[in-house]
Amino acid sequence: MTQREAEIIDLIHREVKPALGCTEPIAVALAVAKATEIIGEKCKECTGSGWRMTADFSISVEVSGNILKNGMGVGIPGTGMIGLYIASALGAVCGRTEYGLEVLHDLCPESIARAKELVEKKKVSVAIADTGHKLYVMATVTVPVQEASGIPMPEASEASGKSHSAAAVIEDDHDNIVETWLDGSMLQSGHRKTDAQDETSAEGITGKDITVKEIYDFATHAAFEDIKFILESRTLNLALAEEGLHGDYGLKVGKTIGNSRYDEVFGKDFMSYAMSLTAAASDARMAGCTLPAMSNSGSGNQGITATMPVIAYAIRYGTDDETLARALILSHLVAIHIKGYLGKLSALCGCVIASTGSACGITWLRGGSYAQICAAIKNMIGNITGMVCDGAKVGCALKVASGVSGAIQSAVLAMEGTCISEHDGIIEKDIEKTIMNLGQIGSVGMQNTDNMILDIMVCK
C-alpha cells in the first residue's frame, strides 16, 4: 500500500462510520453525554453506578440553525418521539461517548422512561446559538452536588455553589468535540476546523484534496484486502432496508414502491427495486429504528443513498464481493469529495450528493469508463441540484427515492454516451469545476434559502 492509498483509506474511515439515529440529534446527545461524563468522572469516588438514572439534571443546549433544522422532526431511536429535547435527555441518562455516533447504543426502556421524565419536567432547554458554524452544539449539564454524590465535593468552587456544571462543544463534524469545561474552567480545547478550510486537516486529507480521477484509479486498482472493510456498508444498510420493508416505518415509501399491488405502476424492474430498498432503509432510520446505518460525511441518509442502489444492483445481478467493494468505494469517495465543497450541513439536500456517488457506482458496475463516470456526475448535477433540505424527517425517504431514480437515469444515459454539455447551466467541461460550481451554489448561493427554510420551520 502506498502512502497516498493509506491517506485515502484513512479518509474513508473518518467519513464512513456507523451511526445510530439521525446524526444531528445524535451529535447533541453526544455533547450532552460528554458533559455528563465529566461530572461523573469528578464524583466517581462517591457516586453509585446508577446515579444518572436519579440525578436531577438540568440540560441546556445551544445549536446552530442547521442542527436545529435537521433535529426538529426526526425520530429518536426506540422512543417514539422526535426532536432534540428527548435526544438531549437520553445523552445525559444513558449516552456513552466511547460509542461515537452510536452514543445511544445502551438505550433501554428504563433510560427512555427517565429521559421522558426529564423532558416532561422541563429540565431540557434548546436554543439557537450565535455562531458562524453550520454544525455547532454546545451542551451544558448541571447537577446538584447532593444529587451527584450525596455530599459536597471538594472540587466544587464557590461560584458553582451547590452544583456542578460541565459543558462540551462540537463543531464542524458530528463527533468532533473541540472543547470541554467544568465549573467554568476549560479542560480541553482542540483543533477547530472550518467548513471552508482548504488545507489538509491535522487528521489527514479532506474530500477536497482528492479528484474524481484519483478516486476512480484508487477504487479500481487498490488491493481488495485493503478495501474489503467497506462491505460492512452492505451489512448495516441492507439490514435497515429489510427492516423498513417488513415494518411500518414513517411514510412507508420503500414498502409501498415494493408492494406487488402496485406492479402496474412501479413494475418489477431494477429501478423500482433499487428505489424500494433505498427508501425503505431511510423510512426505518428516520422513524426511529434502533438499527445503525453506515453513514457518509456525517449523514446516515447519505450513507444509505450512496450504498443501497449499488447494493441493489449487486443483489439483482449477482455481483461478487470484490466488484461490489470497488463500486462502494467509488460511490462513497465521490460523495465525500463533493461534500468537501459543501460542508457537512447546507441548504442542498444530501441525497443529491449521495445519489451522485451511487450513479458512479452503478455506471462502473455496468462496465463504465472514467469518462462515463464523469458523464454520470454531470448528468446528476444537471438534474436534481436544486433539491432543498428542509430538515431531517420521515419525508426524507421521498427525496431519497427521487435521488435513486435520478442516479439510475444518469448512469444509463452516461453508458449510452449521453452527457449534459458544458454549454448547459452550471456544467463545465472540467469535472472538478463542475463539482466546485455545485459546492458554491449549495454553500454560498443557497444561504438565504437556508435561513428562510429555518424561519418557516420554527414559526409553524
Side-chain angles (χ1 to χ4, degrees), residues 139-364:
T140 304
V141 176
T142 303
V143 183
V145 171
Q146 62 269 24
E147 293 288 349
S149 62
I151 58 174
M153 291 168 52
E155 295 94 337
S157 65
E158 236 178 79
S160 67
K162 295 183 178 180
S163 65
H164 280 283
S165 180
V169 176
I170 286 176
E171 285 180 356
D172 300 327
D173 280 314
H174 293 80
D175 55 356
N176 185 38
I177 299 174
V178 298
E179 282 184 7
T180 55
W181 298 73
L182 177 66
D183 294 333
S185 297
M186 182 179 289
L187 301 178
Q188 171 244 330
S189 179
H191 175 65
R192 289 171 178 264
K193 294 178 287 182
T194 65
D195 286 342
Q197 185 176 14
D198 289 321
E199 300 177 358
T200 300
S201 75
E203 290 126 356
I205 62 172
T206 70
K208 294 167 83 171
D209 297 321
I210 53 178
T211 64
V212 176
K213 182 62 167 66
E214 189 173 21
I215 290 168
Y216 173 80
D217 289 342
F218 175 80
T220 54
H221 293 101
F224 176 50
E225 287 297 313
D226 294 335
I227 61 171
K228 67 180 181 180
F229 66 87
I230 205 67
L231 293 173
E232 189 183 356
S233 297
R234 175 180 60 186
T235 302
L236 294 186
N237 292 345
L238 185 56
L240 258 178
E242 291 171 346
E243 179 69 16
L245 289 174
H246 291 100
D248 290 324
Y249 289 96
L251 301 180
K252 296 183 284 187
V253 178
K255 189 173 185 178
T256 302
I257 293 173
N259 193 316
S260 59
R261 288 189 297 157
Y262 302 109
D263 283 353
E264 80 281 3
V265 178
F266 296 112
K268 300 294 286 184
D269 57 19
F270 167 64
M271 179 177 283
S272 295
Y273 179 61
M275 289 172 65
S276 175
L277 272 184
T278 312
S282 180
D283 281 321
R285 178 176 177 273
M286 303 312 282
C289 175
T290 56
L291 295 175
M294 184 62 79
S295 68
N296 179 295
S297 303
S299 167
N301 263 353
Q302 286 173 204
I304 288 168
T305 311
T307 59
M308 284 313 305
V310 179
I311 293 165
Y313 188 96
I315 294 171
R316 178 58 65 94
Y317 299 109
T319 305
D320 63 83
D321 280 0
E322 179 174 344
T323 305
L324 173 59
R326 296 187 185 282
L328 289 173
I329 288 286
L330 177 62
S331 180
H332 273 302
L333 279 174
V334 167
I336 291 167
H337 177 45
I338 298 174
K339 197 67 176 172
Y341 289 96
L342 283 159
K344 285 296 191 293
L345 299 175
S346 74
L348 192 66
C349 178
C351 88
V352 174
I353 292 90
S355 54
T356 301
S358 59
C360 296
I362 291 170
T363 301
W364 187 76

Side-chain angles (χ1 to χ4, degrees), residues 40-85:
E41 289 167 4
K42 293 299 180 181
C43 58
K44 60 186 176 182
E45 294 178 359
C46 46
T47 55
S49 59
W51 76 277
R52 284 183 165 199
M53 296 295 290
T54 58
D56 187 22
F57 290 109
S58 292
I59 305 164
S60 174
V61 176
E62 295 182 22
V63 298
S64 58
N66 285 79
I67 290 285
L68 182 65
K69 180 180 74 172
N70 284 345
M72 290 173 63
V74 70
I76 307 303
T79 67
M81 297 176 69
I82 61 173
L84 299 181
Y85 288 87

Side-chain angles (χ1 to χ4, degrees), residues 111 117 121 142 197 213 287 341 364-365 385 387 395 428:
S111 58
E117 181 184 6
K121 290 184 176 180
T142 303
Q197 185 176 14
K213 182 62 167 66
Y341 289 96
W364 187 76
L365 286 175
T385 289
M387 187 181 292
E428 303 255 9

Side-chain angles (χ1 to χ4, degrees), residues 420-438:
I420 294 182
S421 165
E422 64 265 27
H423 303 296
D424 289 8
I426 65 171
I427 307 303
E428 303 255 9
K429 185 174 183 179
D430 180 76
I431 188 63
E432 298 303 329
K433 289 183 179 178
T434 301
I435 290 171
M436 289 179 193
N437 290 344
L438 174 64

